[in-house]
Amino acid sequence: MTAPLLVRALRGEPVERIPAWVMRQAGRTLPEYRALKENHGFLGMVTDPVIAAEVTLQPLARFKDLDAAILFSDIMTPFLETGIGLRFDPGPVLERPIRTRAQVEAMGPYDPDCDAPYLAPAVRLVKKSLPPGAALLGFAGSPFTVASYLVEGGGSGGEARAVRRFAEEDRDTVHLLLRRLAEATVLHLRQQILAGADAVQVFDTWGQALSRREYQEMDEPYLRLVFEGIADLGAPAILYCGGAFHQFADAAATGASALSVDHRVPLDEVRKQAGPRVALQGNLDPAVLFGPRERIVEETERVLMQGGPRGFVFNLGHGIWPETPLEAVRTMLETVRSIGGRICAKAAGEGGA
Ligand code: CP3
């Protein structure tokens, strides 16, 4: 059986058209998600495999031009059972943030069956109903990004102040925390891949807060451990590194199959920094979806031309904004399907295929 289009694109193989999915496509914008959430609450949805599978598939039911589903959960849900008192309001909030060495030492190893028993059944349910050719993505937060929430006790406004301050006060403990998180992340991603996820994405949303030197010490080595720890399973791994302009070369060296980048740097520029080995994903500005139809088509085409026919997955530069008009999403995806197909056909023709 041929691999899903998304997987082939991530491997840099020739494809018949450019695949597309939308970061944070489940939830946020969809009325059918809000209706379910009213009854079950966010954590109730994540921890019920039947509902999680339904929410995962909702965007694909609405938009036939999506090439991937992303499993409905959150970067913080693997840590629900670790005694941190996690709730969502709407972002992650911790009753007991991690501030001491004793707390880090007390963190037990991640146990997929105890810590996230709902995950593998949800993956299997999604796989049964996925449209032909579409892929299922599993995901996790990067060790540094998860650490930023664990130490801060919630969102940090992007500066990751609490974890960076902790690293100045007690560097060894922060390294111990990052190592434990890397080990947990490997097990968490393996759980999803072994249950049937075709590829995974690691969200390093807050690595951008680090200087290049600090990234090389506190982020890159742990990302490397994560990608090494899943390499034998053969599922491509995307690294989301929005805002990490000063880090693209290091990010490309982590072992990720692809870098997912935000809208602020054109893809041809990213390619120069990241080198030819990794695929790219991105990077339409989510704001463009509020513009007129012609603007959406034009900007989508621009991103497709820069991304090119090989080793490229179309996406937004970051998560879709909650109030985005759904008609705009449709226009964007139809444009990827038609123009992305033409770009690939032209490349195949020029290659003599
Ligand atoms: O398509 C999907 O949305 C798939 C599932 C998914 C969620 N969170 C569900 C969710 C994914 C892939 C994530 C990743 C995530 N979570 C990231 C990395 C991606 C990024 O945006 O940079 C981060 C930093 C988080 C942490 C988090 N969880 C925040 C900041 C919030 C606040 C609200 C929001 O949507 O950003 C959450 C809660 C959350 N996670 C919701 C959803 C659908 C909102 C819950 C609600 O409906 O109120």
Side-chain angles (χ1 to χ4, degrees):
M1 220 181 70
T2 47
L5 180 68
L6 176 90
V7 169
R8 287 184 280 129
L10 290 172
R11 288 184 186 143
E13 294 171 10
V15 284
E16 56 280 16
R17 57 188 176 77
I18 295 172
W21 66 283
V22 178
M23 262 191 280
R24 311 299 298 276
Q25 66 191 16
R28 284 204 170 175
T29 56
L30 300 184
E32 53 272 36
Y33 166 81
R34 287 194 210 111
L36 268 178
K37 196 186 145 199
E38 201 125 301
N39 287 330
H40 302 278
F42 177 64
L43 280 176
M45 295 163 88
V46 168
T47 55
D48 180 326
V50 175
I51 300 175
E54 183 179 342
V55 175
T56 303
L57 289 163
Q58 277 178 344
L60 286 88
R62 188 180 269 271
F63 303 110
K64 65 171 180 19
D65 292 337
L66 282 172
D67 295 298
I70 180 158
L71 188 64
F72 188 74
S73 65
D74 191 79
I75 60 167
M76 297 309 291
T77 48
F79 307 97
L80 269 175
E81 304 298 330
T82 54
I84 54 173
L86 175 67
R87 62 189 167 81
F88 284 83
D89 184 23
V93 181
L94 282 69
E95 254 167 62
R96 288 172 292 279
I98 301 227
R99 299 278 163 80
T100 66
R101 178 143 194 123
Q103 281 173 294
V104 177
E105 282 172 350
M107 282 175 74
Y110 180 75
D111 178 344
D113 295 332
C114 294
D115 289 316
Y118 45 85
L119 218 53
V123 169
R124 287 193 286 268
L125 280 173
V126 173
K127 286 286 284 197
K128 267 193 218 157
S129 308
L130 212 54
L136 174 61
L137 278 158
F139 75 93
S142 74
F144 180 79
T145 292
V146 170
S148 79
Y149 281 95
L150 288 176
V151 177
E152 189 82 38
S156 73
E159 277 191 280
R161 273 194 199 181
V163 67
R164 294 201 292 126
R165 173 180 162 171
F166 195 14
E168 295 302 330
E169 292 163 351
D170 184 353
R171 213 141 184 104
D172 282 356
T173 297
V174 170
H175 276 292
L176 181 64
L177 174 62
L178 291 166
R179 175 167 292 272
R180 296 233 160 144
L181 291 174
E183 287 160 5
T185 306
V186 167
L187 295 172
H188 177 54
L189 291 174
R190 292 186 76 86
Q191 175 187 23
Q192 298 173 67
I193 298 165
L194 290 169
D198 300 291
V200 293
Q201 177 149 323
V202 173
F203 288 94
D204 189 19
T205 307
W206 302 126
Q208 58 176 304
L210 295 168
S211 69
R212 184 161 190 203
R213 225 162 63 82
E214 294 284 89
Y215 182 88
Q216 288 169 345
E217 184 190 325
M218 288 199 281
D219 206 341
E220 185 198 338
Y222 299 100
L223 288 168
R224 217 181 265 266
L225 285 181
V226 169
F227 295 127
E228 275 167 16
I230 60 171
D232 62 305
L233 299 181
I238 309 164
L239 173 60
Y240 176 72
C241 46
F245 323 119
H246 51 310
Q247 300 155 345
F248 287 146
D250 299 320
T254 55
S257 326
L259 300 186
S260 184
V261 299
D262 78 18
H263 66 280
R264 286 176 282 179
V265 177
L267 289 169
D268 37 13
E269 191 58 44
V270 182
R271 237 193 245 285
K272 271 189 229 148
Q273 291 186 46
R277 199 197 58 81
V278 288
L280 296 182
Q281 174 178 275
N283 72 343
L284 185 74
D285 184 348
V288 165
L289 294 176
F290 293 84
R293 189 188 159 81
E294 314 75 67
R295 164 94 174 146
I296 297 169
V297 171
E298 199 179 299
E299 285 295 292
T300 300
E301 179 166 2
R302 197 177 52 76
V303 169
L304 290 167
M305 294 301 289
Q306 281 174 359
R310 281 288 272 276
F312 178 57
V313 174
F314 180 88
N315 207 316
L316 297 178
H318 198 189
I320 187 165
W321 295 358
E323 330 70 60
T324 305
L326 296 176
E327 218 21 63
V329 180
R330 198 177 298 285
T331 301
M332 171 185 80
L333 292 172
E334 282 170 5
T335 307
V336 181
R337 184 75 51 145
S338 59
I339 295 180
R342 255 182 270 151
I343 290 172
C344 293
K346 184 160 175 279
E350 282 165 4

